[in-house]
Each structure stands twice: as C-alpha cells, then as structure tokens.
C-alpha cells in the first residue's frame, strides 16, 4: 500500500494546474486555468515534460491537477496489464492520495500512421515489411502500452528511431521515416493527408481524457472544483481536433484557443456543437520578431538570468574550495576531478526528473541543482590548474615575507591564479546559459518555455524566439567575462 503524498510545502491558496509538453495538454491546461480563475487564484505550470515528470510534480504537491488519459493511468501509472473502468482506477489511486474525475468527453488513443500513398492499411500489414522506417516518440518507445507490447502483438521486428512528437509529421512528409505514432485527435493527420493504420488486433485501449488530481485539491478549492466539474463531457473529439488545429495550423496561442472555446460554450451551451470550439476567423501568424519581442520577453529573460547567476554563484562557492583542495592534496586530485566529471555526464532531463521527488518540488529548486552540477567541473578544474601554475619561487618569497597557509593562498596564490579561474567560471556561465533552457521542462521558466512550445507545435519561429535570445545572452556573458579577464590579467602578469 503506497502512502499518500505530502501536501505542498506551503499552502499559499494557489490552485496549480499542470500540463505535458504537447499541444493538446497545453490547451486543456489553459481551459482548466480559465475555468478556475474566477473562483480561486490559479496558475498553469505548462509543458512539464512526460508522464514521469508531471506525475512526480503531482505527488510532490507542486501541482494539484493536470489532464491525463485513462489508458496512461492504467498502464503507466498503476502498472496494470489490462484496462480498467473509472471506478476501479479511483480505488487504486486513492492510497496514493490521488483521484481521477471529470471525463472531458473524448478519446485520444494512440495509433500508427503512414503517408497517404503508403501501401499498408492495417498494423498487421507492417509485419515482415523490413523496408519501413519507424520514427516513434521517445515516450511511446519506452511505455508499457506503447512499442514493446505493440511489437509483440503484431510481430514487428523493425527497430524504431526516437523522434520528438512535434517534428515527426515533418519527418514523415519528407520521407525520412515511413511510420510514426500519433494521437487520434492530432490536427496534423488531416493537414498532412496521413493514413491512420487500422488496429486490426485491437491492441490500443481507450485513452479517455480525464483529470488526475490530488484528493486534497477538491477540498482546498471547492468553488473552483465545482466549476471545473462542469467541463465533464463538454469536449468532443471533433472539438478537440479543432482546438489543436487552431494552435498548430492557424498559429494561435494556447490562451486564446482556450478562451475561444469557453466563450463558444458560454454563448451557446444548449445548441452549438462542441466542434465550434475554435472556429474563429483565422488570424495572421505572428512573425519571428513579434514572437521574440512579445510581452513575455522580460519575464523569461529575468527568469533565465536568475537561474544562471544563482547556479554559477553556487558552483563558485563550492567549486573554488574543491579546486584548492585538489591542488593542495595531490592524492585527492584525481578523485575530485573524476567525481565532478561524472556528475556532468548525467543526462540533463534524467537529473531533473530525479530531483523532483528528492526535493519535493518542481520549478527553480531542482533546476538550480541541475545547473549547479553542470557548472562545477570547469570551475574545479581551472582552480586546481591555476593554483598549480603559481611559480614555486613566488611561494617561497611569500613565505619569506611571513605569509603562511591561508594568508599565502588569499594574498598570493588566488590573485595569481585568478585569470585561469575566471576562464573556468566563464566556461561554466556560458554553458549554463544554454543548459538553463531545460529548466522549462519542470516549470522553472526561462527561454526554454518558447523552445518547448516550438517543439510541441513544430514551430520554427517559436524555437528561434527562444534560441536566439539565449544565444545573445551567451554572447553577452562571454563578453562580460572577457572584460573581467582583462582586468584580472595584470595581476597574473605582475607576478611573472
């Protein structure tokens, strides 16, 4: 029996809504936010990554509710081998302090698709077709209800390559792959004229959209929860496809898509079909400059700079003493450098996912830990190298002047080693500017928010709107440290 997860560290009266990193989840998260907002303070932690990350955030109390699917709950979260009705899922989630409720009204199951001119029409037809190249999402490849079981059921011997879901359609259209996994409510199925292969052996279960939530959330936010419950059964598959198309094809942002659907529901709740969800007149897509200099630029810049500054400061506070220790105690040198080097080899997303349960939160704290770990090695290594390069004659001269131990280190060795140390800090800072983009995967903000949205929508302009400011910030960081190194260089030259 699993214990109930702890409450959020501080109950500040904010209903926190999460979403995964794909279009539909972003939109549903915005619908929940706008539905709850008149009744409670609410915020949307968007694009938190895959199921493992967003579930860890829910268990830790960092979010209170997020849109999920019954098949995912049964197979991925509860590790069942068979589907189960909603009541059974509720009973099995309750010991975890979680609940499932508010079936939204549509089924978004997995499927495989090929180009419209492909020969296969069923999944069985793929067996023995060695010429087909499979490009499947990383999560689908690893899920219990994804590729492993599908390959076994249909006898598929192909070795799929991993593709982000946002770019898979383009890869299929360009004939780089022949088969991709899709969600049945994807708007791009029709846009690209794909053929959805018939699941003739009935492998994929239903993936009905529902809300997965902490049981205490309904008690803490009763008015907001009653409003959210009114969404039950209101979104049809056609309506969801229309909303996905509004974001992916027409280029509308998630907030406006959700607002349009809610407005349509409010104005014609009794008679208008749900498919009218996002049928507002097409708007011109904003260009690259508009996306770069939109209202979020300052907020994202502040978040990004804060993450980098704090991470590099922490790395300096720990890395410089470690580098000095490595320089002064030769028998520990290889151990210290090896340990910091190993830490830097841990994949960033894996480290972020591990930090959520360890720290009990998403957002800034686990992102800082990850960035701190990646910034350590160049600072430790350069500090050790800089101290080691101080000429022995100068050390003897310092001792002759009566400087010993700590005083010799502070007044002679560190100043002489400063140019080399600064070079290490510069490397750490520039690396951190780029690495900080992963912070958006756990709700810590920064330019990575635009990159994750761009990946979800396969929107190159949005990707560039996140990548270009990060590149500019990296260049500015490099330039700042070049100035600092010029300032520190005379001290090093004077000692030589």
């Amino acid at each position: 029996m699993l214990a109930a997860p702890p409450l959020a560290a501080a109950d500040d009266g904010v209903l926190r809504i999460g979403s995964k990193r794909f279009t539909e989840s972003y939109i549903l998260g915005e619908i929940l936010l706008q539905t709850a907002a008149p009744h409670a303070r609410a915020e949307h932690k968007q694009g938190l990554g895959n199921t493992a990350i967003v579930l860890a955030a829910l268990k830790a109390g960092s979010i209170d509710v997020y849109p999920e699917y019954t098949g995912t709950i049964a197979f991925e979260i509860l590790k069942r081998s068979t589907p189960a009705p909603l009541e059974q899922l509720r009973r099995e989630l309750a010991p975890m302090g979680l609940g499932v409720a508010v079936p939204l009204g549509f089924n978004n199951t997995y499927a495989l698709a090929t180009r419209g001119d492909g020969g296969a029409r069923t999944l069985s037809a793929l067996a023995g077709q060695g010429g087909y190249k499979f490009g499947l999402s990383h999560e689908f490849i690893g899920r219990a209800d994804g590729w492993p079981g599908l390959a076994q059921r249909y006898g598929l011997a192909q070795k799929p390559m991993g593709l982000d879901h946002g770019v898979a359609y383009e890869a299929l259209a360009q004939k780089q792959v022949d088969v991709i996994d899709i969600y049945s409510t994807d708007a791009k199925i029709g846009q690209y004229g794909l053929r959805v292969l018939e699941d003739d052996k009935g492998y994929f279960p239903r993936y009905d959209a529902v809300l997965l939530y902490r049981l205490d959330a309904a008690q803490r936010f009763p008015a907001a929860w009653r409003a959210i419950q009114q969404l039950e059964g209101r979104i049809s598959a056609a309506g969801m496809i229309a909303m996905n198309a509004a974001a992916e094809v027409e280029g509308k942002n998630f907030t406006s898509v959700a607002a349009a659907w809610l407005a349509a529901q409010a104005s014609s709740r009794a008679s208008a079909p749900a498919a009218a969800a996002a049928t507002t007149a097409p708007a011109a897509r904003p260009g690259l400059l508009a996306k770069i200099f939109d209202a979020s630029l300052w907020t994202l810049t502040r978040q990004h700079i804060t993450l980098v500054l704090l991470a590099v400061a922490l790395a300096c506070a720990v890395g410089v003493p470690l580098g000095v220790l490595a320089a002064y105690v030769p028998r520990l040198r290889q151990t210290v450098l090896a340990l910091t080097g190993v830490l830097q080899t841990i994949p960033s997303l894996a480290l972020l996912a591990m930090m959520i349960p360890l720290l009990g939160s998403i957002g800034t704290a686990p992102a800082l830990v990850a960035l701190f770990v990646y910034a350590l090695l160049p600072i430790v290594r350069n500090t050790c190298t800089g101290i080691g390069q101080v000429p022995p004659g100068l050390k003897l001269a310092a001792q002759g002047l009566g400087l010993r131990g700590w005083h010799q280190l502070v007044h002679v060795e560190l100043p002489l080693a400063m140019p080399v140390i600064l070079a290490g800090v510069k490397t750490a800072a520039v690396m951190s500017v780029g690495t900080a983009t992963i912070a958006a995967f756990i709700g810590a903000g920064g330019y990575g928010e635009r990159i994750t949205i761009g990946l979800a929508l396969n929107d190159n302009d949005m990707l560039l709107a996140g990548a270009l400011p990060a590149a500019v910030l990296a260049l500015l960081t490099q330039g700042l440290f070049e100035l600092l190194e010029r300032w520190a260089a005379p001290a090093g030259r004077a000692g030589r």
Side-chain angles (χ1 to χ4, degrees), residues 176-248:
Q176 295 173 340
V177 296
D178 302 304
V179 183
I180 62 172
D181 62 299
I182 61 168
Y183 306 125
S184 59
T185 55
D186 282 353
K188 292 181 179 178
I189 298 172
Q191 180 189 1
Y192 283 82
L194 303 189
R195 174 180 295 164
V196 180
L197 300 177
E198 179 189 348
D199 181 12
D200 50 314
K201 293 186 179 180
Y203 173 74
F204 292 114
R206 289 186 64 84
Y207 286 78
D208 292 303
V210 293
L211 301 184
L212 188 62
Y213 68 103
R214 291 174 61 87
L215 292 175
D216 60 8
Q219 302 163 5
R220 288 160 46 220
F221 305 98
W225 189 250
R226 284 193 296 271
I228 287 172
Q229 286 178 313
Q230 299 304 307
L231 295 172
E232 183 168 334
R234 302 299 302 177
I235 306 176
S236 68
M240 194 68 247
I241 292 171
M243 285 190 278
N244 288 336
E248 296 181 355

Side-chain angles (χ1 to χ4, degrees), residues 218-452:
Q219 302 163 5
R220 288 160 46 220
F221 305 98
W225 189 250
R226 284 193 296 271
I228 287 172
Q229 286 178 313
Q230 299 304 307
L231 295 172
E232 183 168 334
R234 302 299 302 177
I235 306 176
S236 68
M240 194 68 247
I241 292 171
M243 285 190 278
N244 288 336
E248 296 181 355
V249 180
E250 299 174 28
K252 296 178 181 178
N253 62 53
F254 305 125
T255 301
S256 64
V257 171
W261 184 85
L262 288 168
Q265 292 291 300
S267 64
S268 52
R269 186 178 295 271
S271 59
T279 55
T280 55
R285 278 179 174 269
L288 175 59
L289 289 179
K291 290 179 179 179
I292 291 176
F293 296 103
D294 71 7
S296 68
L297 178 61
W298 165 242
T299 299
L300 298 180
T301 300
R302 175 176 51 79
Q303 292 169 341
H304 209 94
I305 291 175
T306 299
L307 284 170
V308 172
L309 284 177
L310 289 177
V312 174
L314 287 171
C316 288
V318 174
V320 171
L322 277 178
V324 171
L325 176 66
Y328 268 69
V329 187
R331 68 177 182 275
L332 294 179
R333 185 173 304 155
Q334 290 306 314
T335 301
V336 171
L337 293 175
L339 284 175
T340 52
V342 167
L343 287 174
Q344 200 172 46
T345 65
I346 301 174
S348 54
L349 286 178
L351 184 60
L352 286 173
M354 289 188 293
M355 287 298 105
I356 293 172
L358 288 176
L359 299 179
S361 69
I362 57 173
T364 303
L368 275 179
V369 172
L371 293 175
F372 159 76
V373 165
Y374 292 129
L376 264 182
L377 179 60
I379 295 174
V380 172
R381 184 180 55 208
N382 279 42
T383 300
C384 179
T385 301
I387 295 293
Q389 288 179 352
V390 175
L394 290 177
K395 295 181 181 179
L396 290 173
Q399 292 171 8
L401 293 172
L403 296 176
R404 296 286 190 277
W406 175 257
H407 293 285
Q408 179 177 314
L409 174 67
V410 171
H411 296 290
V412 177
E413 295 180 48
L414 282 178
L416 292 174
M418 189 56 65
V420 179
I421 295 173
L422 276 178
V425 177
K426 176 178 70 175
T427 300
V430 173
M431 286 172 50
S432 294
V433 171
T435 309
T437 57
I438 66 170
F441 286 86
I442 55 168
Y447 298 133
E449 280 197 5
R450 291 175 170 178
I451 294 174
T452 58

